[in-house]
Amino acid sequence: MEFFRRHGCDAVVLETGLGGRLDSTNVIASPVCSVIMNIGLDHTKELGDTVEKIAAEKAGILKPGRPAVCYDLPASVRAVFEKKAGETGSPLVFSDFTRLVPLDNSRAGQSFSYNSFSDLRLPLLGRHQLKNAAVALDTVATLRQSGLAISDEAVRDGLSSVIWPARFEILSETPYFVVDGGHNPQCAETVAENLRVYFPDQRRVLLIGVLADKDYARLADILDPLADEYVTIAPDNPRALPAELLAEHLSRFGKPVTACQTIEDGVKTALSRAGTDGMVCSVGSLYTAGRVRACFGR
């Protein structure tokens, strides 16, 4: 907070670290607006083993009389936020994804329209990123109602220049190498869909490293239909699953699997196995993403 004060911030986007109700960021008594994004099963030991239980923890950031914007969620999850909003007297807006109009989509990015905005450009890949953008646009509308001056030009410039490292980020094109920090089943679904959309015909080598306490078995089940071959690595973290154990697990799919001792060797091996006509997708943990990106000078 002192850092923000010293820099004279006009507005601060303060991301909750884990859950919401008990997170340290929840000391903010009266936010201009609370924002709830999509909810998946992650950190279940701390937050609960159902999306409804996790939603109850996240709903803890709703504050008396302050507005909130929510991702379009299933009815059972939506009900959790509606109940909390009723208790706190929080005006609640759910984004309406039926109003999203995709216009263009390629490996260079996508364009879309939403509500009063037309032909917006977004360099991020994947249908889910359009949904994220819709929530951002609804948040902008809410902030404007609260008195913040946010111009249409600022919105367009912000979306067109956004960078999100390690979210289906293309690091090279010869061959194509994509890094995604997805580490749970929900993220795996978006990676699988993106591989179908953006790389429908290429040979796909998946470079995978996971933490042992994540649901890597389900992640692998989701990604396997998109994989032609695997290369395994271990994230730089004490909770990492050894590359050899992950390779042993993936071998049940009956596809070639190579275990590597370092992340750098894994990148080199995956590129070699992909060849000039294939592609590599690094996935499974944000703890591998930094060193993977460093292999490409990022």
Side-chain angles (χ1 to χ4, degrees):
M1 297 305 115
E2 177 63 14
F3 179 87
F4 300 144
R5 187 194 69 80
R6 290 185 184 186
H7 285 265
C9 295
D10 297 305
V12 173
V13 180
L14 189 63
E15 183 183 14
T16 301
L18 180 67
R21 183 175 63 92
L22 299 178
D23 190 78
S24 59
T25 57
N26 207 28
V27 298
I28 304 301
S30 187
V32 179
C33 179
S34 297
V35 183
I36 306 288
M37 298 304 297
N38 199 11
I39 296 176
L41 290 175
D42 202 2
H43 303 292
T44 53
K45 181 180 178 182
E46 296 83 7
L47 303 180
D49 56 3
T50 69
V51 288
E52 290 80 12
K53 290 178 181 178
I54 294 173
E57 293 296 317
K58 292 183 179 289
I61 70 170
L62 271 63
K63 297 297 169 60
R66 306 312 301 161
V69 176
C70 286
Y71 196 95
D72 187 10
L73 297 160
S76 61
V77 181
R78 182 185 288 236
V80 173
F81 292 111
E82 289 174 334
K83 180 175 183 293
K84 182 65 175 181
E87 295 171 354
T88 58
S90 301
L92 186 60
V93 172
F94 284 95
S95 293
D96 183 1
F97 297 151
T98 64
R99 300 182 66 84
L100 269 172
V101 182
L103 302 175
D104 180 61
N105 191 12
S106 72
R107 293 172 185 166
Q110 44 191 336
S111 59
F112 69 102
S113 297
Y114 183 70
N115 287 339
S116 63
F117 288 97
S118 60
D119 199 20
L120 295 166
R121 185 71 185 166
L122 186 69
L124 305 178
L125 303 183
R127 171 77 177 182
H128 63 294
Q129 296 292 14
L130 296 187
K131 295 178 179 179
N132 288 336
V135 179
L137 291 169
D138 286 329
T139 302
V140 166
T142 300
L143 294 176
R144 285 173 168 174
Q145 292 172 7
S146 298
L148 270 72
I150 306 172
S151 68
D152 286 0
E153 182 182 12
V155 172
R156 291 184 180 278
D157 288 348
L159 287 175
S160 65
S161 62
V162 68
I163 298 171
W164 197 342
R167 282 302 185 208
F168 214 79
E169 179 187 17
I170 296 176
L171 299 179
S172 76
E173 297 183 5
T174 52
Y176 274 95
F177 191 107
V178 174
V179 60
D180 193 285
H183 53 271
N184 58 33
Q186 178 191 22
C187 292
E189 294 281 5
T190 66
V191 171
E193 177 62 21
N194 280 357
L195 288 172
R196 292 186 189 97
V197 171
Y198 297 107
F199 299 96
D201 303 317
Q202 277 85 356
R203 169 179 168 76
R204 307 183 192 100
V205 177
L206 296 193
L207 175 64
I208 303 186
V210 299
L211 299 183
D213 56 1
K214 296 296 183 181
D215 189 3
Y216 62 85
R218 178 62 183 144
L219 180 140
D221 287 342
I222 293 168
L223 291 174
D224 180 67
L226 284 305
D228 293 294
E229 185 170 345
Y230 295 104
V231 176
T232 64
I233 52 179
D236 187 14
N237 187 280
R239 291 150 51 207
L241 183 72
E244 294 78 10
L245 292 182
L246 179 57
E248 182 180 336
H249 178 82
L250 294 174
S251 65
R252 66 193 182 97
F253 293 115
K255 297 170 182 177
V257 185
T258 305
C260 294
Q261 295 304 307
T262 68
I263 292 174
E264 291 75 14
D265 285 345
V267 170
K268 293 176 182 177
T269 300
L271 286 169
S272 174
R273 298 299 297 177
T276 56
D277 297 329
M279 66 85 61
V280 179
C281 179
S282 174
V283 68
S285 176
L286 283 166
Y287 287 100
T288 65
R291 286 175 62 182
V292 167
R293 296 179 84 249
C295 291
F296 296 88
R298 305 294 180 92

